[in-house]
Amino acid sequence: MTEGLELFDVTIIGGGPAGMYTSFYSGMRDLKTKLIEYGPELGGRILIYPEKIIWDIGGITPIRGEKLILQLNEQARTFDPTVCLNQQITELVKLADGNFLLTAATGEKHLTRTVILTVGYGILTMQKLDIEGADRYEVTNLHYTVQELEGFRGKHVLISGGGNSAVDWANELEPIAASVTVVHRRDHFGGHEFNVLKMKESSVDVRTPYALTQLHGNGTSIDQVTVTHMETEETVQFDVDHVIINHGMRCDYGPILNWGLNIQDDLLVVNENMETNIPGIFAAGDFVSHPSKVRLIAGTFVDGALALNSAKLYLDPEATKVAYVSSHNERFIEKNKKIEAEAVKSSH
């Protein structure tokens, strides 16, 4: 069953920020690493919001999602891990020798000594607008994500939703759109407090508690919408050029739910060392729940390092508990020399 399969020290399932950083950190700890991603490229949830500006990563000034993905991708490959794309792991079996055999939907098999799950919210699908006939406008001016801000310049935009993305899009579009209106079913917004305050203090027209209830158009594009007050049922019409929907995501963890892991309320319960209830399986990122969880990208990096350190100690109980910092880590000596040589060369 495992004959001919290459054995890896660590296999990371999930190629979002947590998975990419964990792959890098695994190289720092000199472990033979494989990174498996369900989709055709690394990036995870950020791929849905490439134009979104991210402010809350230590040491990095505001950065667009697409650029952060590029940098994380480059960092993840620092120590040449094996990267497998377009593979959904459907089966996990712990063998008699303690190793794990992973099987993908494609039939490909992977052999590993430990597993780190960084699957985020699983396979994500957008919550579609629940209005009859809405799908006909998806090819014109009904959007579920913002790919390029410039397409909204000088336009009248209505955003339906109250999460981080809705608030961020409102703040991003406010300086360039002719007008931005945000409608949300509740008075409270789920975005970060600073960004919500920024939106409310700008020219964005915030309407709560309202819901988008009707689309009016010519069959190919929307030119007007109706929103309804959730309590009084009062209706208001807005002329629009674009409608953006941010009603959240549906998450699907698929076969992972059948692996015997302790999953509660759609989150995998781990301890402070990112250990799951199955020895040899660790987890990090949005998928996990623990008392000190920080639900920021910066928090996923910490989770990933903790999970990897636990995997290292699982494999070698005599190992140091954490990696040496990069300035003292031998794995960076040759890489630093190359960087310094390139710097000298470019200065001449």
Side-chain angles (χ1 to χ4, degrees):
M1 184 167 55
T2 62
E3 186 177 351
L5 292 179
E6 188 176 3
L7 178 63
F8 285 78
D9 295 321
V10 176
T11 295
I12 302 161
I13 303 176
M20 287 189 281
Y21 184 78
T22 305
S23 177
F24 164 73
Y25 190 75
S26 185
M28 286 183 66
R29 303 231 58 185
D30 200 20
L31 294 174
K32 186 176 181 180
T33 309
K34 178 177 282 187
L35 175 61
I36 302 176
E37 164 58 29
Y38 166 80
E41 58 184 314
L42 300 178
R45 190 177 183 182
I46 302 178
L47 291 169
I48 302 171
Y49 312 116
E51 287 281 342
K52 184 175 179 179
I53 295 180
I54 300 166
W55 288 72
D56 49 23
I57 301 176
I60 297 179
T61 52
I63 183 172
R64 293 206 180 276
E66 58 188 350
K67 185 175 181 182
L68 178 62
I69 291 173
L70 288 174
Q71 294 183 182
L72 281 170
N73 197 333
E74 181 179 353
Q75 184 184 48
R77 298 174 186 270
T78 301
F79 299 104
D80 300 316
T82 296
V83 178
C84 303
L85 302 175
N86 294 305
Q87 289 197 38
Q88 181 187 20
I89 301 302
T90 56
E91 185 179 358
L92 177 148
V93 176
K94 191 167 188 178
L95 304 174
D97 61 6
N99 294 327
F100 294 91
L101 180 64
L102 309 176
T103 304
T106 58
E108 188 164 344
K109 295 184 182 297
H110 308 270
L111 187 62
T112 185
R113 300 173 69 194
T114 63
V115 175
I116 299 180
L117 298 172
T118 55
V119 298
Y121 294 101
I123 299 170
L124 292 171
T125 55
M126 294 283 188
Q127 292 270 27
K128 294 296 187 77
L129 180 62
D130 189 18
I131 293 178
E132 186 177 354
D135 56 339
R136 78 182 69 167
Y137 298 113
E138 292 179 13
V139 296
T140 53
N141 62 343
L142 177 64
H143 312 275
Y144 289 96
T145 186
V146 174
Q147 297 291 335
E148 294 184 8
L149 293 173
E150 277 301 311
F152 300 90
R153 184 173 292 278
K155 305 297 184 180
H156 297 281
V157 182
L158 182 132
I159 301 172
S160 176
N164 274 316
S165 294
V167 173
D168 289 345
W169 285 334
N171 287 330
E172 287 291 299
L173 291 170
E174 188 267 343
I176 66 173
S179 68
V180 177
T181 301
V182 174
V183 296
H184 182 39
R185 289 175 172 271
R186 292 178 288 277
D187 291 321
H188 175 73
F189 283 83
H192 297 308
E193 294 93 334
F194 175 82
N195 294 333
V196 172
L197 182 62
K198 178 181 177 182
M199 176 185 71
K200 289 182 175 181
E201 291 182 344
S202 71
S203 66
V204 174
D205 183 5
V206 178
R207 300 292 182 108
T208 63
Y210 278 89
L212 177 59
T213 51
Q214 286 184 284
L215 305 175
H216 311 283
N218 55 20
T220 58
S221 62
I222 306 163
D223 52 41
Q224 191 178 72
V225 299
T226 297
V227 302
T228 302
H229 195 279
M230 299 299 296
E231 298 167 359
T232 66
E233 297 187 355
E234 168 199 7
T235 62
V236 182
Q237 280 75 42
F238 292 95
D239 294 329
V240 297
D241 296 307
H242 292 279
V243 176
I244 301 171
I245 305 299
N246 177 236
H247 291 174
M249 301 277 191
R250 288 191 178 94
C251 61
D252 180 8
Y253 293 115
I256 291 177
L257 299 177
N258 303 318
W259 293 355
L261 294 161
N262 182 14
I263 297 175
Q264 299 179 16
D265 298 324
D266 292 327
L267 294 173
L268 175 58
V269 178
V270 296
N271 64 15
E272 67 275 12
N273 297 316
M274 304 300 116
E275 297 168 321
T276 72
N277 58 303
I278 301 178
I281 300 181
F282 311 89
D286 289 330
F287 184 35
V288 307
S289 173
H290 58 85
S292 300
K293 179 65 183 170
V294 176
R295 296 205 172 276
L296 298 172
I297 292 177
T300 71
F301 299 158
V302 175
D303 285 353
L306 289 170
L308 197 285
N309 286 334
S310 293
K312 178 75 174 183
L313 290 171
Y314 176 85
L315 296 173
D316 178 10
E318 300 301 317
T320 57
K321 291 185 178 181
V322 299
Y324 290 112
V325 295
S326 60
S327 58
H328 294 80
N329 191 312
E330 291 184 359
R331 301 220 73 191
F332 291 98
I333 293 175
E334 290 303 317
K335 295 181 183 297
N336 289 341
K337 288 180 180 178
K338 289 181 181 179
I339 292 173
E340 290 166 357
E342 289 172 2
V344 171
K345 184 178 179 180
S346 62
S347 67
H348 292 296

